């Protein structure tokens, strides 16, 4: 309905059928602090495995629901984290990944180690779950399991950290000695040099998205019976544009490309033949692409800064995309527009960004402008919708998203240009966009804000340290602020593949140079700053924000406020609706006050 604390889960018997309530997470906890974190229906749709998160933390407790009766079956799976839920084709059980139980009173901060893949048969206690795969020689690696749509193969991917590079293993679930009862797992790809992301399979042919010898990514076909790289077949060659995502639907591949950070959808036959494009509803971003390998309909979500995320069904016969349950917006969005622009970074790199504002925006340099960025972990910053944005735009505000290096907007080379010792490129890119906004008289240092979360919180902290004169306000959220100790808590060690580690003598010099906590200079006039974090954030532990806020308050050399807001029973990315509204209202009100905006 829009204002419920969490979104209930429904099912339909057909795309136009009546919705039936399956699970209402709002009745699980009175204050909405226990969230529905993920769910996966069984292949026969009679059971639903769903994960609950206390305070929205990364730890999950899995339960199984009987869809027909609406009752839980009594299963309880604990200590699941960073895991898929992969049902076997008979709907009797599923694969999942879990860690050993963490030390008492250290649940939200202890460093993670020892993830392993298990099989759970519905109706049995967790103690009876079968260990399918573990690597005691690689205790800090991530292990995840996937089952192909036909139910034939279990695919196991291993990641050293948060990057895309992975190893790949498989097991044939038709074998009587299936992994559910302890059969060995067979290596498919054991190199750690590139991404090998499963898309789907047809018989023994497995389709992978890979950046091996192709920084912009391509699609290759691997015969599981002949897995040697020399036998791979390139189905979709690397293109000048970055291949963002791929799905196997209705016997063809649906490939999303980014063209200057704007989505394009192409159809490709499994023999590599060009089957045309899907015309999108406008300029914006495709999110998820869904469908089945044995059914023709292609489902995808689409959004732009001025259009809420909407699911579309593409009909291959009519070649039309039809919206499914399109959301309504109470604001006249036609009064606004989004413009694609480019800035030139310090080293000459061309940095795309998107400006959303009222039409015919005056160029007098006094527009209150919020610049948002991320710049890391191969995560593309594309133009998308935010429900709180219209309120800012109606006040005359400007919203800007920058697509910096560190993301995947232009492929893996773009990502690598913002990693390790090259992280400064990301900060330079953000500063270049900010300077461009000032030069074009869209904003001025007295009306310009910087906003970002997680890695984006690190971005804001570092940029404001380097150019405090350029911004009126800073809103770093759940940021990685201590670059010397981040890998000692929870899953921080997975980020070493992106940032490096201060324990490595070669990495320390560049980490200490930009670490937000360690580069505050006493007596400097920093922008008005509102740091936000949450007490159940077990991804970027709140001590990052606590230490940074305290150090900033001690260093502040002028009267501009430096505050911290701590959400109770909230986490890295989760807030129930009423708490999310309160937090966003505080952020925007703080920014408006600092920029001199009045309703």
């Amino acid at each position: 309905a829009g204002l419920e604390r969490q979104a209930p889960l429904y099912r339909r018997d057909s795309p136009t059928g009546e919705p039936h309530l399956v699970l209402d997470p709002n009745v699980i906890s009175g204050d909405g602090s226990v969230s529905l974190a993920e769910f996966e229906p069984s292949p026969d749709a009679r059971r639903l495995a769903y994960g609950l998160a206390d305070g929205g933390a990364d730890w999950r407790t899995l339960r199984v629901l009987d869809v027909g009766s609406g009752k839980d079956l009594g299963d309880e799976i604990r200590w699941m984290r960073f895991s898929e839920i992969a049902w076997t084709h008979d709907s009797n059980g599923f694969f999942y990944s879990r860690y050993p139980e963490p030390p008492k009173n250290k649940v939200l901060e202890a460093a993670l180690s020892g993830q392993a893949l298990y099989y759970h048969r519905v109706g049995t206690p967790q103690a009876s779950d079968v260990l399918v795969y573990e690597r005691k020689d690689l205790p800090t690696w991530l292990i995840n399991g996937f089952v192909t749509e036909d139910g034939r193969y279990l695919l196991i991917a291993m990641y050293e950290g948060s990057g895309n590079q992975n190893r790949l293993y498989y097991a044939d679930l038709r074998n009587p000695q299936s992994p559910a009862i302890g059969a060995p797992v067979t290596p498919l790809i054991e190199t750690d040099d590139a991404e090998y992301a499963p898309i789907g399979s047809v018989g023994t042919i497995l389709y992978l998205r890979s950046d091996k010898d192709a920084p912009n990514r391509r699609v290759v076909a691997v015969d599981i019976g002949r897995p040697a790289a020399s036998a791979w077949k390139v189905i979709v060659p690397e293109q000048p544009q970055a291949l963002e995502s791929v799905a196997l639907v209705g016997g063809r591949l649906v490939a999303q490309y980014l063209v200057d950070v704007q989505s394009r959808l192409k159809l490709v036959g499994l023999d590599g033949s060009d089957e045309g494009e899907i015309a999108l509803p406008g300029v914006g971003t495709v999110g998820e692409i869904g469908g089945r390998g044995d059914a023709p309909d292609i489902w995808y979500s689409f959004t732009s800064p001025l259009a809420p995320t909407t699911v579309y069904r593409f009909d291959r016969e009519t070649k039309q995309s039809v919206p499914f349950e399109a959301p309504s917006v109470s604001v006249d969005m036609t009064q606004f527009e989004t413009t694609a622009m480019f800035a030139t970074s310090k080293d000459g790199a061309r940095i795309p960004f998107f400006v959303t504002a009222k039409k015919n925006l005056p160029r007098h340099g006094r527009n209150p402008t919020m610049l948002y960025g991320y710049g890391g972990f191969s995560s593309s910053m594309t133009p998308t919708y935010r429900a709180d944005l219209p309120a800012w735009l109606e006040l005359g505000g400007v919203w800007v998203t920058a697509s910096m290096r560190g993301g995947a907007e232009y492929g893996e080379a773009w990502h690598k240009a913002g990693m390790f010792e090259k992280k400064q490129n990301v900060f330079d890119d953000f500063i270049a966009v900010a300077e461009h906004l000032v030069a074009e008289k869209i904003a001025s240092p007295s009306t310009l804000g910087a906003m970002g979360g997680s890695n984006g919180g690190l971005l804001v902290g570092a940029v404001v340290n380097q150019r405090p004169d350029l911004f009126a306000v800073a809103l770093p959220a759940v940021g990685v602020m201590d670059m010397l100790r981040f890998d000692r808590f929870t899953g921080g060690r997975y980020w070493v593949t992106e940032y490096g580690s201060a324990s490595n003598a070669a990495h320390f010099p560049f980490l200490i140079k930009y670490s937000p906590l360690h580069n505050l200079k006493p007596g400097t006039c920093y922008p008005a700053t509102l740091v936000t974090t949450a007490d159940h954030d077990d991804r970027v532990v709140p001590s990052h924000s606590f230490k940074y806020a305290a150090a900033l308050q001690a260093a502040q050399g002028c009267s501009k406020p430096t505050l911290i807001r701590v959400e109770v029973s909230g986490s890295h990315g989760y807030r129930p609706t009423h708490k999310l509204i309160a937090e966003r209202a505080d952020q925007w009100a703080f920014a408006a006050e600092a920029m001199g905006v009045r309703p």
Side-chain angles (χ1 to χ4, degrees):
L3 290 178
E4 293 166 292
R5 290 178 174 178
Q6 296 186 51
L9 179 64
Y10 293 83
R11 66 171 175 85
R12 295 177 186 268
D13 296 325
S14 69
T16 58
E18 287 296 315
H20 301 281
L21 179 67
V22 174
L23 180 64
D24 185 358
N26 296 290
V27 302
I28 295 174
S29 61
D31 60 357
S33 61
V34 177
S35 67
L36 174 61
E38 67 258 297
F39 58 87
E40 187 67 35
S42 61
D44 64 8
R46 295 183 179 184
R47 292 166 171 169
L48 179 81
Y50 66 97
L52 300 177
D54 186 4
D58 283 335
W59 288 115
R60 306 288 192 255
T61 298
L62 271 188
R63 301 186 188 281
V64 180
L65 182 79
D66 178 83
V67 174
S69 67
K71 295 180 179 180
D72 275 349
L73 296 177
D75 300 70
E76 182 179 84
I77 309 299
R78 303 193 68 197
W79 310 120
M80 188 184 93
R81 185 171 178 145
F82 304 145
S83 174
E84 301 291 328
I85 303 171
W87 286 89
T88 48
H89 210 237
D90 59 10
S91 298
N92 288 330
F94 52 82
F95 301 95
Y96 71 98
S97 303
R98 77 171 193 242
Y99 289 90
E101 182 175 350
K104 188 177 181 181
N105 299 323
K106 297 290 184 181
V107 171
L108 296 179
E109 62 182 86
L112 299 176
S113 181
Q115 190 183 43
L117 183 68
Y118 288 83
Y119 174 77
H120 174 76
R121 183 172 292 276
V122 174
T124 64
Q126 184 175 10
S128 300
D129 289 355
V130 176
L131 174 63
V132 176
Y133 195 69
E134 67 175 343
R135 290 295 294 268
K136 290 186 176 180
D137 59 324
L138 300 171
T140 62
W141 285 49
L142 292 160
I143 301 176
N144 256 298
F146 312 83
V147 175
T148 56
E149 184 180 297
D150 61 7
R152 179 172 179 176
Y153 294 109
L154 167 68
L155 304 175
I156 301 173
M158 286 188 62
Y159 303 84
E160 182 179 7
S162 299
N164 294 324
Q165 294 88 351
N166 65 285
R167 299 181 182 185
L168 199 59
Y169 304 80
Y170 78 96
D172 191 336
L173 297 181
R174 300 181 309 169
N175 189 319
Q177 296 296 316
S178 73
I181 52 176
V185 172
T186 304
L188 191 64
I189 301 169
E190 286 205 291
T191 54
D192 307 325
D193 58 345
E195 172 193 70
Y196 305 98
I199 300 166
S201 64
V202 177
T204 63
I205 305 300
L206 178 64
Y207 295 88
L208 304 175
R209 185 188 72 173
S210 179
D211 56 18
K212 174 66 174 176
D213 301 324
N216 284 353
R217 297 174 177 153
R218 60 185 179 179
V219 177
V220 297
V222 179
D223 189 329
I224 288 178
R226 299 172 57 233
S230 58
W232 296 0
K233 181 180 180 181
V234 176
I235 304 300
V236 181
E238 182 185 22
Q239 302 294 318
Q241 302 81 25
L243 179 60
E244 179 75 357
S245 59
V246 192
L248 200 167
V249 183
R252 59 187 35 77
L253 298 170
V254 186
Q256 178 194 180
Y257 288 90
L258 293 182
V259 180
D260 283 335
V261 203
Q262 301 173 33
S263 292
R264 300 286 189 275
L265 279 184
K266 295 183 179 181
L267 299 176
V268 182
L270 295 183
D271 59 355
S273 58
D274 185 348
E275 298 192 4
E277 292 195 20
I278 295 178
L280 297 177
V283 175
T285 301
V286 170
E288 293 189 50
I289 305 172
R292 292 183 55 84
D294 58 2
D297 287 345
I298 298 168
W299 300 77
Y300 66 92
S301 64
F302 181 84
T303 181
S304 75
L306 300 176
T309 298
T310 302
V311 174
Y312 289 86
R313 180 176 63 87
F314 177 73
D315 188 313
R316 279 172 45 199
E317 297 297 325
T318 64
K319 300 190 182 304
Q320 298 294 314
S321 293
V322 180
F324 174 79
E325 292 290 320
S328 60
V329 180
S330 58
V331 178
D332 177 16
M333 303 301 282
T334 61
Q335 62 185 305
F336 311 118
E337 64 181 355
T338 297
T339 305
M341 302 178 71
F342 294 88
T344 302
S345 194
K346 186 176 181 178
D347 63 354
R350 185 170 177 258
I351 311 303
F353 64 98
F354 295 84
V355 177
T356 301
K358 285 185 176 180
K359 293 178 178 177
N360 302 313
L361 180 73
R363 298 292 184 96
H364 48 44
R366 298 191 301 273
N367 301 299
T369 302
M370 187 60 72
L371 173 57
Y372 183 90
Y374 187 78
F377 294 92
S378 191
S379 179
S380 300
M381 180 56 61
T382 55
T384 58
Y385 184 81
R386 281 177 58 132
D388 54 331
L389 187 56
W392 180 245
L393 299 178
E394 286 188 319
L395 285 175
V398 180
W399 174 251
V400 183
T401 57
S403 302
M404 302 159 296
R405 283 173 285 188
E409 293 87 346
Y410 293 100
E412 184 60 15
W414 191 254
H415 172 216
K416 288 181 177 178
M419 295 171 59
F420 296 118
E421 76 282 358
K422 297 179 181 178
K423 188 69 174 176
Q424 182 60 42
N425 285 337
V426 183
F427 312 139
D428 291 341
D429 294 352
F430 193 85
I431 289 169
V433 174
E435 290 179 331
H436 192 94
L437 293 169
V438 172
E440 291 292 318
K441 296 185 177 181
I442 293 173
S444 67
S446 63
T447 66
L448 182 59
M451 177 188 282
S454 193
N455 178 73
L458 157 64
L459 164 74
V460 172
V463 165
V464 165
N465 282 350
Q466 295 177 19
R467 288 297 306 276
D469 60 304
L470 191 54
F471 302 94
V473 61
L475 299 175
V478 294
V480 187
M481 300 307 200
D482 182 352
M483 296 307 297
L484 304 186
R485 289 171 54 84
F486 71 85
D487 53 346
R488 302 187 185 188
F489 303 96
T490 64
R493 60 180 48 167
Y494 296 129
W495 316 333
V496 170
T497 55
E498 180 82 9
Y499 297 138
S501 172
S503 61
N504 184 323
H507 297 168
F508 182 89
F510 60 76
L511 289 170
I512 189 66
K513 190 174 181 179
Y514 72 79
S515 177
L517 176 65
H518 300 95
N519 285 277
L520 291 162
K521 296 178 175 59
T524 301
C525 183
Y526 290 101
T529 303
L530 176 61
V531 180
T532 51
T533 186
D535 66 348
H536 277 63
D537 188 344
D538 57 348
R539 192 173 307 176
V540 180
V541 290
S543 59
H544 281 275
S545 294
F546 295 162
K547 291 189 291 185
Y548 173 76
L552 176 61
Q553 289 172 346
Q556 180 64 294
C558 60
S559 61
K560 293 181 180 180
T562 55
L563 306 176
I564 185 169
R565 184 188 192 280
V566 184
E567 186 61 67
V568 177
S569 295
S571 67
H572 191 67
Y574 168 75
R575 310 282 189 279
T577 302
H578 67 297
K579 290 190 175 185
L580 179 61
I581 290 172
E583 182 177 75
R584 294 281 175 87
D586 286 348
Q587 289 175 313
W588 286 118
F590 184 89
E593 177 70 20
M595 296 177 186
V597 178
R598 296 291 181 269

